[in-house]
Amino acid sequence: MFPLGPRTRLPRPLPETRPTSPEQPEPGSPRKRRRQLETSVDNAGTMHINTYLYRTEAYRSCNEKLPLPPPYVLTSMDARLVSRLNSINLKATVQSIVTSHGVQLRYVAYRTRSKPTYPGGKPKPMIHVNVLGPDNLTMKQWGAARREIERVLDHNRLDDICIEIIDESRALIRSVFPLPPDDFFLKVSETVQPRILDLLDDILGSDWTTVCLFKVRMRRDDAEYCVFVTVEPWAIEDWQTLQFRIKAIMDSEVIKTQPHQTGIVRADFVPGKMSQSTGRAPGESRPESPQETNAKSFADDLAGQPKLGTSIGVRESEGGGTLGGFFGLQVGDRTYPGFLTNHHVIAPAEHQVEALKAANRWGVRLQAAIDHPTKTAIQYFANKDIAETKRDIEAKLANYAADLRELNENISQREAAGLELKPYMPTVRKSLTDSGQRYARAQQHTATLPQQIGHTMVSSGKAITDEKVPWFIDWAFVSAEKLPHSTPAALAEKNKLPTLEELGESRPETYIKHEFYARVTNARPFDGFGRLKKGAWFFKKGRTTGITAGICHGTAVIVNFSDQRAVLMPDGTLTAPRNVGHAKAAMIVNQGLKGPQRAFCKAGDAGALVFDIQGLCCGLLFASYDASTSPIDEFTGDIIHSGLVLPISLVRQWIGQQTQRRDGAGQPTEPAGELLIPGDVDMVRTFFFQFRKS
């Protein structure tokens, strides 16, 4: 039996304006620092998740009734508003106010703050005051300074501007750090997992989204054990009471073997979820993160497509995902060339309602005719990426032409004046000419896009395994019959792994203390299957973020959702879809031994294969783990996402069961289908190809 979906909760009214606390000097605890900031410090009672996060943050003061949880996107303020603020000399006034209250100022900036796709996260002008807040500071001065700035803005009829005083170096941005599988507290959390899930279902219902034990903090050296629960951004609950109850469940198990270790594990709640988006257009599906509506240009990578990690899409859809890698699908005495990706990447477009419903419900069947509505036509690149590539090439050609024209004018002027050319001029002119010619060829190549690869042959649909807490299942095998070169040797060439130089900062020694294997570095095609081992290093190559790496967390992440999923039974039969409350997935976190945390994946990376340190195929990326309070990636400026991965062993098992032919009584009539890796021998036969087994 499977648990029913979580109960549905009626929405609660938002709490009223945050009450204030009396201004009384208090010691430097987080609770009392909040009181000195003149905001309510009482975390008990029912409150919005935003309010809870604000009240537990000791180094931030904001004038909003429902402050957004940081981090958020800060961009330049509108020039007209900046001009108006400069006309009243606001920046100098703010600096004077803050320093007059004894607060050590770092800087004052005019910003537009936003948190895309987050409720209430629309762009809003902000006076961003970054200060230094040492522990021994009387922090009530922050609130007094903020109120005085508010009065200045009100006097000048600028009361719609947000004010934030924050110590960015101490603000509570939550990074999650992976744990080894043999960690004591991790094993405790797995033991008490059913009790924690029951508690979350009973208290939060459908308002919680994921739960897992991590070490959580901004830096690894001060990270704490934490049962980390992501919730919907509109969730309202008595978070303090729920936190105590989760801690009590953990301590009840810890005390049995190590009573001196009780009280170490805490609980925390932040907005977040699992995201399975492919970057579809807003009219096709609800966007899950800011990157999902962003197209990607492949102006510098048009040659040799398609290959491992490239952009693919459905012919009728704007969005897309990643071509995982090429395989052979052996069914009976035939072997079909094709590649792996996710079902949700190649599913019918949203406007094809009945076809999408059928594909999600039962998956795509191998026996269905090639023109069946569920068998979508797959192309490279995705439509949105093609349009962005064309725009990018046009812009590059225009820039190179302008630069070359300006350089030629300078050369002509010097020659007319009898002056000697500067040494760099001929070299730069040749470089600009060559670059322009290269992009002109690329522009000609775009005229051949999109190129059809093939069609969906078989997919899982929206499914799970037959377990108490089942695995998510999300895979698809796409034929490659439209490719001009589909021999085993040609497909193997498209499966080449990155070189050491291409791995760059994703190399294993950046993440683990382990001898580096040369197998990963020689640009050879992958040639085997491996195991998704907890605590090990893995890398992937995706359409959006390219090559990234990370560590597989020591336990699975539990996802809460109310959805209908088909179930693969032990005898290989597929049940009718049923409501399922919980499912699990392996998680890979991009956190090295040193340096900041970075994103493992973003929207559009779904479908990428995951490889281990020996270059073996171990998993299939199908979703991202998104916490709205995660740090910002210093390179991309986006909130960091970890990757949720399906073990390749489950994919192979499902493919075998789902492609196996059966009689009317449901009994197998031939061996199960098998996923094979292209071999080195090019053996072409009529209408099928022979592959070497891994």
Side-chain angles (χ1 to χ4, degrees):
M1 297 294 293
F2 287 83
L4 296 176
R7 61 185 177 86
T8 302
R9 295 164 52 110
L10 295 175
R12 301 181 181 181
L14 290 177
E16 297 181 356
T17 303
R18 185 179 64 241
T20 58
S21 299
E23 294 185 48
Q24 297 180 357
E26 299 285 347
S29 70
R31 175 184 173 90
K32 294 175 181 178
R33 282 199 294 270
R34 293 305 319 154
R35 184 172 296 161
Q36 292 165 349
L37 278 170
E38 302 180 316
T39 57
S40 173
V41 298
D42 190 0
N43 293 334
T46 300
M47 66 186 70
H48 193 282
I49 184 62
N50 288 12
T51 305
Y52 164 77
L53 293 173
Y54 181 56
R55 292 182 181 181
T56 55
E57 174 56 72
Y59 293 97
R60 180 180 175 225
S61 179
C62 185
N63 67 333
E64 292 183 293
K65 294 181 180 179
L66 200 63
L68 291 177
Y72 23 71
V73 179
L74 295 178
T75 56
S76 300
M77 185 182 286
D78 181 76
R80 290 172 296 181
L81 183 54
V82 171
S83 177
R84 185 178 175 189
L85 297 179
N86 288 338
S87 68
I88 61 173
N89 202 21
L90 182 65
K91 188 171 290 188
T93 302
V94 171
Q95 292 173 344
S96 176
I97 291 172
V98 171
T99 55
S100 70
H101 284 275
V103 181
Q104 187 172 346
L105 179 68
R106 285 194 176 104
Y107 63 83
V108 178
Y110 301 150
R111 295 285 185 263
T112 296
R113 181 218 60 197
S114 63
K115 199 173 181 73
T117 75
Y118 193 89
K122 294 181 179 179
K124 184 175 183 179
M126 168 188 278
I127 307 300
H128 184 71
V129 185
N130 191 2
V131 299
L132 179 64
D135 289 333
N136 59 357
L137 181 67
T138 304
M139 307 224 5
K140 69 176 183 179
Q141 297 164 320
W142 290 32
R146 192 200 69 227
R147 284 199 324 277
E148 191 170 340
I149 298 171
E150 285 184 69
R151 286 195 291 269
V152 173
L153 293 176
D154 290 344
H155 177 74
N156 290 276
R157 298 182 180 180
L158 295 166
D159 54 325
D160 59 338
I161 298 179
C162 173
I163 305 167
E164 181 178 68
I165 301 178
I166 187 171
D167 183 347
E168 290 186 336
S169 64
R170 293 171 176 257
L172 191 55
I173 307 299
R174 296 158 171 86
S175 285
V176 296
F177 296 90
L179 294 169
D182 58 351
D183 185 273
F184 168 71
F185 291 108
L186 202 63
K187 293 184 179 299
V188 169
S189 71
E190 292 175 340
T191 302
V192 301
Q193 183 186 92
R195 295 167 58 189
I196 293 178
L197 295 181
D198 288 343
L199 175 65
L200 293 175
D201 284 343
D202 184 55
I203 301 299
L204 291 175
S206 58
D207 283 351
W208 74 274
T209 53
T210 71
V211 62
C212 195
L213 181 76
F214 300 102
K215 275 198 168 183
V216 178
R217 212 63 177 176
M218 186 61 183
R219 293 173 296 275
R220 184 189 292 270
D221 54 4
D222 62 356
E224 302 173 339
Y225 285 99
C226 179
V227 178
F228 203 57
V229 184
T230 61
V231 300
E232 297 288 1
W234 53 77
I236 299 172
E237 194 47 70
D238 184 347
W239 305 106
Q240 186 182 73
T241 300
L242 184 55
Q243 183 184 60
F244 288 154
R245 293 181 67 178
I246 293 176
K247 291 171 64 178
I249 290 175
M250 288 291 294
D251 285 345
S252 68
E253 186 66 25
V254 172
I255 201 171
K256 294 179 182 179
T257 55
Q258 297 192 26
H260 62 286
Q261 297 276 32
T262 58
I264 291 180
V265 180
R266 64 185 184 91
D268 201 4
F269 311 92
V270 300
K273 60 188 170 183
M274 177 190 81
S275 170
Q276 281 187 284
S277 174
T278 59
R280 294 177 185 264
E284 297 179 84
S285 63
R286 180 169 62 98
E288 304 286 359
S289 70
Q291 294 76 31
E292 295 180 16
T293 55
N294 288 349
K296 180 178 175 64
S297 170
F298 289 88
D300 296 312
D301 191 27
L302 287 176
Q305 301 290 340
K307 58 187 176 183
L308 182 149
T310 194
S311 164
I312 57 170
V314 178
R315 184 169 55 193
E316 300 86 357
S317 173
E318 287 297 306
T322 297
L323 187 159
F326 287 93
F327 296 87
L329 177 57
Q330 185 179 51
V331 181
D333 59 355
R334 288 194 66 174
T335 301
Y336 303 90
F339 63 87
L340 273 183
T341 186
N342 294 138
H343 164 78
H344 76 269
V345 169
I346 53 79
E350 292 283 331
H351 66 270
Q352 297 174 303
V353 179
E354 292 303 319
L356 178 61
K357 182 178 179 181
N360 287 341
R361 184 179 179 87
W362 298 108
V364 179
R365 316 307 295 178
L366 181 66
Q367 295 79 10
I370 193 171
D371 58 351
H372 192 276
T374 61
K375 292 202 168 186
T376 51
I378 309 302
Q379 65 184 40
Y380 78 92
F381 306 110
N383 287 320
K384 180 171 288 189
D385 293 339
I386 294 172
E388 180 62 24
T389 299
K390 290 180 177 179
R391 285 194 294 267
D392 187 31
I393 290 175
E394 289 176 359
K396 284 179 171 14
L397 285 173
N399 290 336
Y400 282 124
D403 292 344
L404 184 59
R405 187 166 51 250
E406 181 180 356
L407 179 61
N408 285 334
E409 289 175 358
N410 290 337
I411 291 175
S412 298
Q413 291 173 1
R414 296 186 71 87
E415 289 176 342
L419 298 176
E420 185 178 351
L421 296 183
K422 293 185 177 180
Y424 71 85
M425 286 183 168
T427 303
V428 172
R429 179 160 60 179
K430 184 178 185 308
S431 176
L432 291 173
T433 302
D434 292 345
S435 297
Q437 292 173 350
R438 184 173 72 253
Y439 284 109
R441 290 192 296 270
Q443 189 175 47
Q444 293 176 349
H445 185 78
T446 60
T448 66
L449 299 176
Q451 181 176 337
Q452 302 302 313
I453 305 175
H455 66 276
T456 307
M457 287 192 67
V458 59
S459 78
S460 63
K462 299 170 68 173
I464 55 172
T465 58
D466 179 35
E467 300 176 59
K468 187 174 182 180
V469 180
W471 286 93
F472 277 104
I473 301 296
D474 187 351
W475 59 265
F477 184 85
V478 178
S479 72
E481 83 275 2
K482 297 284 188 179
L483 288 181
H485 302 289
S486 299
T487 64
L491 295 185
E493 279 295 302
K494 300 176 184 295
N495 282 344
K496 281 187 175 181
L497 299 175
T499 63
L500 179 61
E501 291 73 20
E502 290 172 329
L503 281 172
E505 294 186 0
S506 295
R507 290 175 296 182
E509 60 264 34
T510 307
Y511 296 83
I512 55 176
K513 296 178 181 179
H514 199 294
E515 180 183 357
F516 185 71
Y517 287 77
R519 287 170 59 90
V520 185
T521 68
N522 60 3
R524 63 175 179 82
F526 70 88
D527 59 1
F529 295 107
R531 186 166 62 93
L532 198 63
K533 184 179 178 182
K534 298 172 182 177
W537 172 90
F538 296 94
F539 77 93
K540 71 99 183 76
K541 183 179 181 182
R543 165 259 187 201
T544 307
T545 56
I547 299 170
T548 58
I551 303 298
C552 185
H553 187 44
T555 189
V557 176
I558 307 300
V559 180
N560 180 39
F561 67 103
S562 181
D563 199 0
Q564 294 231 332
R565 299 260 168 168
V567 181
L568 181 69
M569 305 304 290
D571 63 358
T573 59
L574 198 64
T575 70
R578 61 181 68 175
N579 285 328
V580 181
H582 310 135
K584 62 186 176 183
M587 179 174 174
I588 297 181
V589 184
N590 187 343
Q591 180 61 64
L593 296 173
K594 298 179 181 179
Q597 188 179 19
R598 299 203 174 103
F600 181 76
C601 60
K602 293 200 296 189
D605 284 329
L609 295 179
V610 173
F611 301 94
D612 68 5
I613 201 167
Q614 298 185 54
L616 301 177
C617 176
C618 300
L620 181 66
L621 178 70
F622 74 95
S624 62
Y625 175 89
D626 307 339
S628 296
T629 57
S630 295
I632 296 288
D633 191 301
E634 63 179 10
F635 291 108
T636 66
D638 301 318
I639 288 178
I640 287 171
H641 308 293
S642 298
L644 298 183
V645 178
L646 173 64
I648 198 66
S649 58
L650 288 178
V651 176
R652 297 175 69 191
Q653 175 189 349
W654 266 70
I655 287 178
Q657 299 290 356
Q658 197 154 329
T659 57
Q660 190 172 36
R661 291 185 173 89
R662 299 172 181 271
D663 58 23
Q667 297 302 313
T669 60
E670 62 180 32
E674 189 171 359
L675 192 66
L676 308 176
I677 295 176
D680 298 327
V681 181
D682 187 3
M683 299 177 62
V684 183
R685 297 183 181 179
T686 305
F687 303 114
F688 71 96
F689 302 86
Q690 183 63 44
F691 286 74
R692 175 177 61 83
K693 292 186 179 181
S694 169

